[in-house]
Amino acid sequence: MPASSPAASPSADGAVRTRFAPSPTGFLHIGGARTALFSWLFARHHGGQFLLRIEDTDRTRSTEEAVEAIFEGMRWLGLDWDEEPVFQYARRERHAEVANQLLAEGKAYKCYASQEELAEMRERAKAEGKPQGYDGRWRDRDPADAPEGVAPVIRLKMPRDGETVIRDHVQGDVTMPNNVLDDYILLRSDGSPTYMLSVVVDDHDMGITHVIRGDDHLTNAARQINLLQAMGWDVPAYAHVPMIHGPDGAKLSKRHGAMGAEQYRDMGYLPEAMRNYLARLGWSHGDDEVFSTEQAIEWFGLEQIGKSPARFDFAKLANLNGIYIREADDTRLADETLRMMRDVKGWQVDDGVRAALIEAMPGLKERAKTIDDLAEGAKFLIATRPLDMNEKAEKLLDADARGVLAGLLPALEGMGDWSLDGIEGAVRAFAEEKDLKLGKVAQPLRAALTGTTTSPGIFDVLAVLGRDESLARIKDQAA
């Protein structure tokens, strides 16, 4: 009878419990963020719990800064967890206890093979075209043969024949011949537990019912099932999700978007847009492309996750983010834009700009795809006179354009009501009087007021800048 994982494995009270278990050796990268999202959505869909475990057993590479980066990335994405985070290293005595229980029950054994023996073993297996795992030489050997002064490792006795079947919600049934799964190490010679042991013990003790993770762990699942069954523990349901590739089909790299969640925040993406985009990377609900987090929770299921690697596409992410920006509250966007200006770009910005940003936001967000776009579009609000003109604006402000500005000035100076409607009426009346198309007036105005050739609607720009600043900037460029 093959060892296998069940199609589902509810906890004692029937509640779904999922986990996200990153290693704190760097930022929360985009692949990990998607895994966390899928686990979170599945738990929320079923009214269950989503737990966070920090797998910090690699003491040489784990850092407090990385732990905080993971927490910060999760908070920014809105992926809240339900219990206090579990730190794996703090549970190492419990992990060792399980290994020693298996040893006492004859389900594990001490192995005294040296590094030289192991290297020779792998070379021989390679030459013979066999699996390069451990050959089990200490599995049934008399402990009396143990060399003096050598600290052994503890290995699990894996089944030597038959097969292990992983009943996977994404991959389907995956069968692994047991003869390619060697007796792996549970405790190292210094008594420290291995990743394989720690993960299994922690998942069991945390009551995890569904393990949702990358398909690079698929072979691990076969090994872990046998450890779970050796302990007589329930096997969780598995869902191994394909990796994320770049648009070119190659493994995701920094040039494709393999960056930390906080870097996406600093590039100007909204968390709700990121959740929507990451959910669509490998999972689908019909042809729906834009959907709320609430809809994703309602619709999410493991069976809709595809078997092929998803492709990360910055253009699609930016377009989706633009949709969310246009729907977002203007006050919130103004605050996000202020943060971008100050914390990311390092610009000196007075608090008084916030009100102007809120007022300008309807025009600013029409063409923006990121918060960075909003900051760049709002740069005219904090510019000081005389404005630096970019190359296109400088070219546009030729003698004719400056003459138009000079002619417009009296009409604007004579306005009694500096309102949006009043400004538009005065500019249009001037253009009609001079027999000019509106663009012939608006384009020089835009250059004079912003130093660029792109901005929100020109009437909005005049209204937001106010009478005195607008007139002063126009005078600087008028003939």
Side-chain angles (χ1 to χ4, degrees), residues 3 18 41-42 87 144 229 238 289-290 325 334 367 429:
T18 67
L41 287 172
F42 187 75
F87 287 83
Q229 292 180 336
Y238 289 107
E289 293 288 343
V290 183
I325 281 179
R367 289 183 294 274

Side-chain angles (χ1 to χ4, degrees), residues 224-274:
Q224 290 162 4
I225 287 169
N226 282 284
L227 174 53
L228 286 160
Q229 292 180 336
M231 287 299 297
W233 291 343
D234 288 338
V235 178
Y238 289 107
H240 288 91
V241 182
M243 297 290 99
I244 300 175
H245 288 178
D248 56 1
K251 184 179 179 182
L252 195 66
S253 64
K254 284 188 177 180
R255 68 188 174 89
H256 293 130
M259 300 175 290
E262 68 279 8
Q263 290 173 282
Y264 287 90
R265 177 195 62 196
D266 290 347
M267 289 166 68
Y269 296 101
L270 296 176
E272 59 268 36
M274 286 299 299

Side-chain angles (χ1 to χ4, degrees), residues 110-115 117 134 138 142-143 145-147 150-153:
K110 293 179 179 179
C111 168
Y112 294 88
S114 66
Q115 291 300 315
E117 286 180 283
Y134 175 70
W138 279 94
D142 190 336
D145 294 341
V150 176
V153 299

Side-chain angles (χ1 to χ4, degrees), residues 403-429:
V404 169
L405 293 176
L408 176 64
L409 259 175
L412 294 177
E413 288 173 329
M415 286 179 55
D417 175 24
W418 195 266
S419 66
L420 191 61
D421 289 342
I423 292 165
E424 182 174 354
V427 174
R428 288 187 182 277

